[in-house]
Amino acid sequence: MEVTIMVAQDELLTIMYNLILNPATRDWEREQLATAKNTIGAGASFSAALATLEGKLRPLALRNNLTPDVADFYALVVGDVAEADTFDLSRHFNPDAPYEDRAIFAGGCFWCMVEPFEQRPGIQAVFSGYTGGTIDHPTYDQVLGQYTGHVEAVEIIFDTRVVSYDDLVTLYWQITDPTDDMGQINDRGDQYRPVIFVRDDKQRAIATASKQQLDASGLYGKPIVTAIEPASTFWPAENYHQQFYKKNPKRYRLLERSRKQYLATQHLFGRVRVGLKQLRGQNK
């Protein structure tokens, strides 16, 4: 495969060097990167060494099995502008305006949690990340392996003049299964458990009242098990995961279609359950 070099040679070499030092890079990936870098350092053609490296990484890239930072590097090598584009995380670190607030929700794979919130009026930014765990700067592989106690989550910065925290909690219930504390739909494992992370007493009161209201609605035949926990440090995920629905629309639509079908069926059964209960009450 002919590779398209999108950035300067020196910049790519710097990225390769940083990936070799990156503890999140897998040993096999590190070996391929080091081989390419050493080959170039020995005087080999840069483009030829890069093409060989691309061929080594391609099988894993096609299966979406590269570590996130290496996946971003691969996107640079093959000229995938959309996927290689670095997502600006500065808004996460900048202070909020007086009229802004933040919400943190976990509800399965964060790939499917961004778009529903981001499309709402008043949303300033949505970040994919990790929270609720025991170590600093967790990596995707660590969270996926359930080594750190973190869950995949989204952090939402919103304009309180346009949309309320209560509105966001209501949407959260609509796009998650609140009866499953072992994951969400096809996403299994503790890192996918549903949690509302509250930042203060006001958010806790709103989330608690909303959960109680949902439990009393009779829409679900099982208990509402979504946890409400104090917010802790939110660690933004690697660039590869940010705005996944825009970078990988085909794969995202497949995942989202399955999720929506499951939830639509669950909600339909809930409405039938409530309707039958009301009918029985009328016939007494």
Side-chain angles (χ1 to χ4, degrees):
M1 177 178 178
E2 183 179 353
V3 299
T4 302
I5 302 176
M6 297 172 54
V7 297
Q9 176 175 329
D10 288 346
E11 185 177 348
L12 271 180
L13 285 171
T14 298
I15 295 172
M16 291 168 64
Y17 179 72
N18 289 335
L19 286 172
I20 292 169
L21 297 179
N22 189 337
T25 301
R26 297 187 188 121
D27 290 342
W28 181 87
E29 295 171 330
R30 184 176 292 106
E31 180 183 346
Q32 308 313 312
L33 290 161
T35 298
K37 186 174 182 298
N38 292 337
T39 299
I40 295 168
S45 163
F46 178 79
S47 59
L50 203 61
T52 300
L53 176 60
E54 186 279 327
K56 294 284 188 180
L57 298 178
R58 189 189 313 154
L60 273 70
L62 293 175
R63 297 197 301 271
N64 294 290
N65 200 27
L66 293 172
T67 51
D69 290 336
V70 177
D72 286 337
F73 169 77
Y74 183 84
L76 276 177
V77 170
V78 299
D80 189 338
V81 178
E83 189 164 328
D85 186 37
T86 301
F87 185 69
D88 183 8
L89 290 172
S90 60
R91 188 64 187 82
H92 164 75
F93 297 102
N94 292 340
D96 297 335
Y99 52 82
E100 292 177 331
D101 199 358
R102 302 191 184 208
I104 302 175
F105 300 123
C109 177
F110 45 29
W111 290 349
C112 293
M113 289 287 288
V114 174
E115 185 186 24
F117 290 105
E118 196 165 70
Q119 301 304 314
R120 294 291 294 267
I123 302 302
Q124 309 289 67
V126 182
F127 303 100
S128 296
Y130 318 112
T131 193
T134 57
I135 69 170
D136 293 348
H137 306 288
T139 67
Y140 180 70
D141 275 3
Q142 288 173 329
V143 175
L144 189 65
Q146 303 181 43
Y147 306 131
T148 68
H150 289 86
V151 294
E152 292 191 13
V154 291
E155 178 187 62
I156 304 153
I157 302 176
F158 60 100
D159 186 333
T160 59
R161 301 170 301 180
V162 180
V163 61
S164 70
Y165 182 73
D166 186 57
D167 292 334
L168 298 182
V169 172
T170 298
L171 175 57
Y172 171 78
W173 296 128
Q174 296 170 1
I175 62 174
T176 60
D177 177 2
T179 68
D180 184 0
D181 60 359
M182 296 301 294
Q184 285 290 285
I185 309 164
N186 293 326
D187 304 322
R188 312 313 303 161
D190 190 63
Q191 76 275 23
Y192 296 126
R193 64 190 179 93
V195 186
I196 298 176
F197 291 96
V198 294
R199 303 179 68 222
D200 52 36
D201 290 341
K202 181 180 178 182
Q203 287 193 355
R204 178 177 292 278
I206 291 172
T208 301
S210 183
K211 179 179 176 179
Q212 291 172 344
Q213 183 179 10
L214 185 66
D215 198 28
S217 70
L219 286 170
Y220 296 92
K222 299 178 181 178
I224 305 300
V225 295
T226 298
I228 299 175
E229 300 178 4
S232 56
T233 302
F234 180 90
W235 303 98
E238 298 86 343
N239 181 73
Y240 174 81
H241 298 297
Q242 306 297 338
Q243 300 277 292
F244 185 87
Y245 78 97
K246 292 181 179 179
K247 294 178 179 178
N248 299 272
K250 291 183 179 179
R251 187 178 181 197
Y252 169 73
R253 291 303 170 196
L254 289 174
L255 295 169
E256 184 66 0
R257 185 179 301 119
S258 174
R259 186 180 179 112
K260 284 184 174 179
Q261 288 174 345
Y262 176 91
L263 293 174
T265 301
Q266 186 182 55
H267 296 163
L268 175 61
F269 286 162
R271 291 193 295 271
V272 170
R273 186 181 298 108
V274 171
L276 290 174
K277 183 177 180 180
Q278 292 174 343
L279 185 61
R280 286 194 294 267
Q282 293 173 359
N283 292 334
K284 285 186 178 180

